[in-house]
Amino acid sequence: MLLEILKGNDAKILRHDEKVILALVPNDKLRTTAELLFKAGCYYATGVGVDERLLGVGFSMYHIFNCESEKRYVILKAVASNLRIPSITPVISGANWAEREAMDMVGIFFDEHPEPLRLILPDDWPEGIHPLRKEFHYNERPPKVEFKPPKREKKPGVMEVPVGPYHPTLHEPEVFELHVKGEEIVGAVYRGFHVHRGMEKLAEERMTINQIPFLAERICGICGYTHNCAYAQAVEDAAKIEVPERALYIRTILLELERLHSHLLWFGVAFHLLGFDSGFMHTWRIREAFMDLAELLTGNRKTYGMNLIGGVRRDIDEEKKKKVLEILEKTKKETKEVLDNAAGMKELISRMEGIGVLPKNEGREIGVVGPVARASGIDTDVRRDHPYAAYSDLDFKVPVYKEGDVLARFLVRYEETFESFWLIEQALDQLPPGDILNEDYELPEYVVGIGATEAPRGEDVHFVITEGGNKVYRWRPRAPTYNNLPAVPIMLMGEKLADAPIIIASIDPCFSCTDHMVIVDGEKVCRCSLDDYLRGL
């Protein structure tokens, strides 16, 4: 069916295998093709603007669709004509941010885009300079230009309440601008990307393919390993590298360990925002055991540094396996006791039930992922729909709730927590013998690869174009919060101001994942080039 849609719209098939269909689509058929894919059940995962002038192509946009029913990603490639490509946002609202990001970073203009405003570049960034064009170097700092904010019309009876960029309910610098009448939220605007530092540029210009996994892991301080895996899988996909089976199982164990400590962190934050601080302290106490397990298996509590292209760096011996199983048995009982007690507290349930509802159809149009999607009746999970690591060998359930409220997001994470215990136990029990790293490969030139993982917050997509040797030509990581954040204003509409913190927290937002990275040394934030930073050490 997917091929019929593509061929019926004069698309040229560039790649077609069990994982990906990549097609070059004529610009006059792009919007129709995208709309037909969406109607066929594919949702918009992300888009990537690429400067391909060095390849003799020009500027291109890659729209990536997740087609769960056929277990494939479909990538539509469109080449800009005079820097212009038709926008698909009028028919797929989920493409809004990706097209605006390509406009900012590469300088592609999208005809008939309904909101052609800057997304990532700051207001004082000069016009005509686009950081992801190849002539722009990673250590350039263009001069600021004067910016005069436009006058804003105030609506009578409506008050604007800023939440952020620094606020007790936000753990990172972002802004939600809430418009309220009395206690009711009548409008909400999200303003993000305050800490974007262009990690793609660093990777493309300065790093080798086996250095980038360590940078990818620093996208997030909570779920960095899933980014690390998604990047490695993207390169392995492009180069058709066979990863040893034992390494795939070790990756699975660490991914589920990361999900456990991430979900327990979220439960703690949610309990704190709901006024249940003893629950917050108990969940974070239990979480410490998983951090200790990570240190046992990798040498680090976070940023494990385990993956290289082709496998992993450390093995799991019998002694470590026994220790992991002992701690899992103890923590599973403690986790169940705390979460079951919380789920039985009427005071907590009443603060979550019917609050912050995201209808299924609106969630699908935006392209929400992970627990946010599954709590709104969208049955999606990359581990099942696009199996990677060892998930195709293991048994697990994907919880789905239809209510779409904060309570449904709580219950999805509750069930997923115990599925993660079960997955780790199975992976350890079935851990096959053999090598853990395949270094016998060559990186091809200019081949598209895609890697996707089910992060604790949802689908994590990494896109690469290889350059050959040991370099990538283009790397684009897309975190799940990037797709979930546009749904928050919908969840907030009509709710009480006092419920805004738990509604925002219910998507488990990771702003650093979405914004990418900044170089931080202790308490000092270094707004400098990587060279200057390294010289200062």
Side-chain angles (χ1 to χ4, degrees), residues 356-492:
V357 173
L358 176 67
K360 179 179 179 179
N361 60 336
E362 292 186 71
R364 199 61 171 177
E365 287 175 10
I366 293 171
V368 296
V369 293
V372 175
R374 292 190 281 277
S376 289
I378 300 170
D379 188 5
T380 181
D381 190 312
V382 180
R383 296 173 296 178
R384 180 198 60 199
D385 302 330
H386 307 276
Y388 58 96
Y391 288 108
S392 60
D393 297 342
L394 306 175
D395 171 54
F396 64 99
K397 296 176 184 174
V398 177
V400 178
Y401 286 76
K402 63 181 181 181
E403 289 79 4
D405 55 6
V406 174
L407 179 60
R409 288 166 216 137
F410 174 96
L411 293 172
V412 166
R413 292 189 183 94
Y414 171 94
E415 292 191 36
E416 285 183 1
T417 298
F418 296 102
E419 290 299 318
S420 290
F421 279 108
W422 172 228
L423 279 164
I424 297 173
E425 289 166 354
Q426 290 178 76
L428 284 169
D429 184 54
Q430 301 174 28
L431 189 62
D435 296 332
I436 59 170
L437 183 63
N438 173 12
E439 298 180 280
D440 184 19
Y441 60 83
E442 290 187 4
L443 195 66
E445 290 185 345
Y446 309 118
V447 175
V448 169
I450 191 164
T453 58
E454 185 68 25
R457 295 163 181 81
E459 180 200 45
D460 200 0
V461 178
H462 283 229
F463 170 96
V464 299
I465 299 177
T466 60
E467 187 174 302
N470 62 359
K471 300 278 290 181
V472 295
Y473 184 84
R474 181 74 169 97
W475 171 43
R476 161 77 163 110
R478 196 278 283 147
T481 300
Y482 191 96
N483 278 33
N484 289 337
L485 271 171
V488 174
I490 297 171
M491 299 175 187
L492 289 167

Side-chain angles (χ1 to χ4, degrees), residues 486-501:
V488 174
I490 297 171
M491 299 175 187
L492 289 167
M493 284 291 288
E495 300 292 355
K496 302 297 183 190
L497 182 60
D499 289 326

Side-chain angles (χ1 to χ4, degrees), residues 520-536:
V520 178
D521 180 5
E523 296 181 351
K524 183 176 66 178
V525 178
C526 179
R527 302 185 186 284
C528 57
S529 72
L530 183 59
D531 276 345
D532 290 341
Y533 171 73
L534 294 174
R535 275 196 294 271

Side-chain angles (χ1 to χ4, degrees), residues 36 64 81 112 183 199 229 240 248 265 270 408 411 447 496:
L36 288 173
I64 303 172
S81 174
E112 299 179 42
E183 288 296 315
M199 60 185 303
C229 282
K240 304 300 178 194
L248 296 176
L265 182 143
L411 293 172
V447 175
K496 302 297 183 190

